[in-house]
Amino acid sequence: AAPRSTLPSPMTFSAPLFFAFALALLVGCGSPSATRKVMPLDGFRRIFVEKRLNDNYRVDETLVAELRRLGYEASSGHRTMMPAHIDAVLTYDASWEWDLKNYLIELTLELHTTHSGKKLADARYYRPSIRTESAEAVVRDLLGPLFAKSAAAPAPSAATP
């Protein structure tokens, strides 16, 4: 009979490595969100959040609460219910999954001018992993940087000769 090798098979070493790599991809590293402003949003004080017809999780109410916490006048509803004198309209699209509980895996926001529909800013959260965040935390992480006050230019120095 031929002698058997006492070395472990290559699969013995590569299987744990494969699972470690797959777990790292699932958990993810870095920020799962991104925001982008086309222009400063300081002049837009009254925001209307357009409620999605398929939103059963009240994301619009969460967005309104966070906008108010940031100091903006905000309301939500269907487009036909939009009050007069709104500066910008915030639209969103949310994707939810269920794995023993419902959790938000993706939230996309777009801010447009009221009448012309020109895009002012957008933001996106995407995390399809076992590490989840509450909808409130996701909204806070997206709207905070998006509506952060623009940094003022530094004042000229008085000690100029």
Side-chain angles (χ1 to χ4, degrees):
R4 288 185 76 187
S5 172
T6 57
L7 294 174
S9 74
M11 269 320 264
T12 307
F13 290 114
S14 58
L17 184 61
F18 171 77
F19 287 116
F21 180 73
L23 183 61
L25 285 177
L26 282 175
V27 172
C29 52
S31 175
S33 62
T35 59
R36 179 180 60 157
K37 294 182 203 178
V38 176
M39 61 187 305
L41 303 177
D42 297 340
F44 299 92
R45 302 303 310 160
R46 293 177 300 276
I47 312 292
F48 181 75
V49 179
E50 184 177 344
K51 181 174 177 56
R52 302 287 299 187
L53 293 174
N54 63 349
D55 180 11
N56 297 324
Y57 299 96
R58 298 183 175 147
V59 175
D60 62 318
E61 294 174 13
T62 305
L63 290 164
V64 166
E66 182 63 17
L67 285 167
R68 288 178 179 164
R69 190 188 72 76
L70 292 170
Y72 291 84
E73 291 179 39
S75 60
S76 70
H78 300 289
R79 186 71 163 214
T80 56
M81 298 170 53
M82 185 170 61
H85 309 297
I86 291 294
D87 297 325
V89 177
L90 182 65
T91 59
Y92 65 94
D93 198 17
S95 296
W96 295 79
E97 288 291 326
W98 185 86
D99 186 15
L100 303 178
K101 68 174 186 168
N102 287 321
Y103 59 94
L104 184 64
I105 64 165
E106 184 174 15
L107 179 62
T108 305
L109 307 176
E110 286 190 1
L111 187 69
H112 298 269
T113 58
T114 305
H115 300 292
S116 68
K118 178 183 174 187
K119 185 189 275 191
L120 300 169
D122 58 28
R124 181 174 185 251
Y125 165 88
Y126 181 68
R127 180 179 274 169
S129 70
I130 54 177
R131 251 182 42 201
T132 62
E133 293 185 47
S134 68
E136 292 80 10
V138 170
V139 166
R140 187 174 45 255
D141 290 346
L142 290 180
L143 290 183
L146 199 62
F147 286 95
K149 303 292 183 212
S150 298
S157 173
T160 310

